[in-house]
Amino acid sequence: MKNLLVFLVVAVVGAACFDLFDTENLIKSEGYHTETHYVTTSDGYVLQVNRIPYRRHERSSHKHNRPVVFLMHGLLAASNSYVLLGHENSLAFNLADAGFDVWMGNARGNRNSRAHVSLNPDHARQKFDFFDFSWEEIGMIDVPEMIDYALKHTGREKLHYIGHSQGGTAFLVMSSMRPEYNEKLESVHLLAGVGYMKHFPNSQMSGLAALSNVIYNFALTIGMVELFPPSSDSRSVGRSADSCTGNLGYNYMCDLTGVDQIVRGSGDSEGMFGNYEPAGAAIKQIAHYGQNIKDKTFRRWNFGLLKNLRKYGSSSPPKYNLGLITADVTMHYTVSDTLLDPRDVLAMAADMPNCKVRKVAREDFQHEDFIAAKDSKELVNEYVIEQINAVSGFGR
């Protein structure tokens, strides 16, 4: 993967002043004009949003009413995951070269959005409040507020949403719990969007998930609230594997997320980040997935019996009601995904009133391949662009 290898060499020898998480300069290095925006959420998190408004080597566009496309990354990832394959194959660059106005979000707590108006994520006490969130808050607060920002900035009423993995989870949360946002989405493409867990395919992770609450509570007692915090050396290499050893809590969370597969890659992919560390996440995000894997369901955070009664008015957390999702959704899936079973994809699609499914035409296509495989342009990106053009009437 030529462009990824170039980034690796540049970072290691120190020939550039940016690292792999500096999405703005990664975009510029590929010849695109870019903007970096910051959205302060209603609960004080400062989120970085990256924009590619024009085609490569362009600084303006004569076309009006260009489709606005918002991309949301997966667990332990950041906006850079949509540009790491270089200008020829990366989804964000392919969308920009198709003439679209491309926006990429960063979830709270990752390397690009690790800031708050009053809480310090590195403070011994404040970090507990800063990282007290799961992907529900990302779906309920971060994504809708970034969408509103992009719509206001562009003067548009609707946009197209693309979410990979947890980016799909965030959409399912947002559109079921804040269904008014369905009206702001012209079309939705979920790339291995994780939701239902009835047939979760990884038996090792399923066994570990049974210990989710025990390990999460243990992690809190030893002050562990974040997985893969930034290293002191932004150009460090190979930390992803090292960070998953030597500590029971870290070891468990890495196993539960399948981080070695996602980061290192398998099959035809070279992983999201090659030898680089992931972008980080709150331990609670991972524990929430663990709860749902254990219970074979897709529902809100389980506080325990008494607090559930106070919080939800029931002994068990409510399930997310996908029947409230009315947006035009396409769920892309693969039969070799070790984090999402095709039967759960089909079940989610059946529960959404306006959803279709699409199987990727390579049998060994993996969960991470949607953003990391060399042939993702041919197998995924070109179809997404074609469908956005068809829905929006753009490019005719």
Side-chain angles (χ1 to χ4, degrees):
M1 200 176 294
K2 181 179 178 182
N3 289 286
L4 193 57
L5 291 174
V6 170
F7 290 143
L8 176 60
V9 172
V10 167
V12 170
V13 302
C17 61
F18 58 91
D19 67 17
L20 212 60
F21 291 98
D22 188 345
T23 306
E24 178 181 358
N25 279 308
L26 289 175
I27 295 170
K28 289 179 180 178
S29 73
E30 289 287 340
Y32 294 81
H33 177 68
T34 186
E35 301 169 2
T36 300
H37 299 255
Y38 292 92
V39 175
T40 301
T41 67
S42 54
D43 56 349
Y45 289 85
V46 182
L47 311 178
Q48 184 184 110
V49 182
N50 305 105
R51 183 190 188 193
I52 311 175
Y54 312 119
R55 293 183 172 92
R56 193 174 189 226
H57 301 312
E58 291 184 351
R59 296 188 63 85
S60 63
S61 176
H62 66 278
K63 288 195 173 183
H64 301 288
N65 297 321
R66 294 178 300 130
V68 176
V69 185
F70 183 88
L71 288 77
M72 196 64 195
H73 60 79
L75 179 66
L76 295 168
S79 57
N80 65 339
S81 62
Y82 287 112
V83 299
L84 283 178
L85 289 178
H87 72 272
E88 292 183 356
N89 296 312
S90 293
L91 178 56
F93 292 140
N94 292 164
L95 292 165
D97 287 336
F100 305 159
D101 188 351
V102 181
W103 295 73
M104 295 174 284
N106 285 279
R108 61 182 63 195
N110 80 8
R111 284 279 291 272
N112 295 336
S113 295
R114 202 171 175 273
H116 193 275
V117 296
S118 61
L119 297 173
N120 180 354
D122 297 312
H123 189 275
R125 292 186 300 275
Q126 293 179 18
K127 68 179 183 180
F128 288 94
D129 290 328
F130 183 96
F131 286 103
D132 185 19
F133 61 83
S134 80
W135 33 261
E136 175 164 306
E137 285 77 12
I138 295 170
M140 282 281 289
I141 303 172
D142 294 2
V143 170
E145 294 188 11
M146 287 188 287
I147 285 175
D148 284 343
Y149 181 93
L151 290 175
K152 181 178 180 180
H153 193 88
T154 58
R156 302 299 296 272
E157 294 183 356
K158 294 187 176 185
L159 54 72
H160 302 267
Y161 182 94
I162 300 173
H164 174 242
S165 191
Q166 183 188 255
T169 309
F171 162 78
L172 297 172
V173 170
M174 174 186 72
S175 295
S176 61
M177 296 195 69
R178 302 185 68 176
E180 68 273 17
Y181 275 85
N182 287 286
E183 299 302 317
K184 301 184 180 185
L185 304 174
E186 195 164 4
S187 73
V188 177
H189 289 269
L190 303 186
L191 314 179
V194 177
Y196 287 2
M197 300 283 190
K198 184 176 181 180
H199 302 286
F200 187 74
N202 191 304
S203 58
Q204 178 183 0
M205 292 185 196
S206 295
L208 290 166
L211 301 172
S212 291
N213 290 341
V214 173
I215 298 297
Y216 176 64
N217 290 328
F218 169 73
L220 293 182
T221 63
I222 62 174
M224 194 179 92
V225 294
E226 176 185 16
L227 193 62
F228 299 110
S231 66
S232 58
D233 181 1
S234 63
R235 294 176 299 176
S236 65
V237 179
R239 287 189 68 253
S240 56
D242 295 339
S243 297
C244 288
T245 60
N247 179 291
L248 175 63
Y250 275 111
N251 193 309
Y252 162 78
M253 292 300 175
C254 290
D255 287 343
L256 182 56
T257 58
V259 68
D260 187 64
Q261 172 190 331
I262 294 171
V263 175
R264 298 298 185 188
S266 58
D268 193 49
S269 83
E270 296 182 22
M272 290 185 192
F273 303 110
N275 286 326
Y276 283 81
E277 62 191 274
I283 295 291
K284 192 173 183 179
Q285 290 171 249
I286 300 157
H288 197 174
Y289 277 125
Q291 288 184 351
N292 282 349
I293 293 169
K294 177 177 72 70
D295 296 328
K296 299 183 181 299
T297 188
F298 182 47
R299 63 184 186 181
R300 304 184 67 182
W301 177 260
N302 190 347
F303 292 96
L305 175 61
L306 294 180
K307 195 167 182 180
N308 284 342
L309 288 170
R310 294 195 299 268
K311 175 77 173 179
Y312 306 126
S314 61
S315 59
S316 299
K319 294 181 180 179
Y320 298 104
N321 183 1
L322 271 55
L324 298 176
I325 300 177
T326 58
D328 177 9
V329 179
T330 301
M331 301 195 77
H332 302 252
Y333 73 97
T334 167
V335 296
S336 295
D337 197 328
T338 60
L339 300 176
L340 180 63
D341 191 282
R343 290 171 291 180
D344 287 327
V345 175
L346 297 175
M348 287 188 282
D351 286 344
M352 285 184 271
N354 192 21
C355 180
K356 55 184 175 291
V357 297
R358 176 180 179 266
K359 184 178 76 171
V360 176
R362 174 157 68 82
E363 292 299 305
D364 60 346
F365 202 79
Q366 301 284 329
H367 186 83
E368 72 278 6
D369 285 347
F370 284 97
I371 61 169
K374 290 177 286 188
D375 56 356
S376 59
K377 177 182 179 181
E378 173 190 351
L379 295 175
V380 180
N381 303 1
E382 291 177 353
Y383 177 87
V384 171
I385 290 169
E386 178 184 332
Q387 291 303 304
I388 291 176
N389 276 328
V391 170
S392 62
F394 186 71
R396 292 177 181 172

